[in-house]
């Protein structure tokens, strides 16, 4: 009976780790999205300032062209939409960001950020860097993922 219970606990923990891995992958994508929103807002704001500097010409535009005022209004609306999307995305990431900050063990935090969020390292390269075995890093990763699960889900 103990063997079966132990196997079921391991299966349950594996599912919990996979759930957190999926959430961390979404978190990683949201961080990239936040960066792109900020970059786009910066570019559009800069573009808008160059448009405003050209407002000294008061000649009306004839024909089917769009006036500079319309372009400025469209740009402001677009920037506002981007800022709203940015706020919503930051709100989505806040819960996971706080949970990661609340991890006490710096090694666990490093494993989560470097392997599961930034995907900048593999388990083997991190194991070599930390002078640990590959399986030990996996175990520490699972422990860190389960502690995140407890913070986020429970």
């Amino acid at each position: 009976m103990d063997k079966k219970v132990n196997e079921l606990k391991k299966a349950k923990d594996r599912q919990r780790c996979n759930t957190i891995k999926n959430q961390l992958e979404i978190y990683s994508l949201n961080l990239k999205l936040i960066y792109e929103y900020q970059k786009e807002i910066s570019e559009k704001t800069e573009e808008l300032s160059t448009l405003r500097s050209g407002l000294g010409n008061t000649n009306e535009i004839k024909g089917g062209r769009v006036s500079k005022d319309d372009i400025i209004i469209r740009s402001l609306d677009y920037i506002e939409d981007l800022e709203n999307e940015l706020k919503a995305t930051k709100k989505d990431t806040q819960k996971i960001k706080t949970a990661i900050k609340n991890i006490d063990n710096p090694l666990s935090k490093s494993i989560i950020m470097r392997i599961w969020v930034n995907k900048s390292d593999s388990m083997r390269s991190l194991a070599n860097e930390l002078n640990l075995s590959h399986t030990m890093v996996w175990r520490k990763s699972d422990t860190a993922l389960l502690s995140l699960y407890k913070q986020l889900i429970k």
Side-chain angles (χ1 to χ4, degrees), residues 44-56 67-73 75:
K44 287 296 178 182
T45 304
E46 194 173 304
E47 183 181 300
L48 189 61
S49 68
T50 59
L51 268 174
R52 286 182 179 160
S53 68
L55 284 179
S67 72
K68 288 184 182 179
D69 290 340
D70 291 340
I71 293 172
I72 289 173
I73 290 170
S75 293

Side-chain angles (χ1 to χ4, degrees), residues 28-116:
S28 175
L29 292 172
N30 279 337
L31 290 179
K32 291 174 186 172
L33 190 60
I34 287 170
Y35 172 76
E36 291 300 322
Y37 281 147
Q38 289 171 337
K39 191 169 110 179
E40 183 76 14
I41 288 169
S42 175
E43 289 172 0
K44 287 296 178 182
T45 304
E46 194 173 304
E47 183 181 300
L48 189 61
S49 68
T50 59
L51 268 174
R52 286 182 179 160
S53 68
L55 284 179
N57 185 359
T58 58
N59 294 339
E60 290 187 25
I61 300 172
K62 296 181 181 175
R65 297 185 187 175
V66 179
S67 72
K68 288 184 182 179
D69 290 340
D70 291 340
I71 293 172
I72 289 173
I73 290 170
R74 240 186 264 135
S75 293
L76 287 172
D77 289 343
Y78 182 67
I79 290 171
E80 185 179 353
D81 291 343
L82 286 175
E83 287 173 344
N84 290 337
E85 288 291 323
L86 178 64
K87 286 178 190 173
T89 307
K90 281 184 176 181
K91 186 177 179 184
D92 287 346
T93 61
Q94 191 59 42
K95 188 175 181 183
I96 293 179
K97 184 178 181 179
T98 304
I100 291 172
K101 280 185 179 179
N102 288 338
I103 295 175
D104 294 332
N105 187 345
L107 179 62
S108 297
K109 193 182 295 190
S110 174
I111 289 171
I112 286 176
M113 290 305 294
R114 291 171 70 180
I115 292 177
W116 301 113

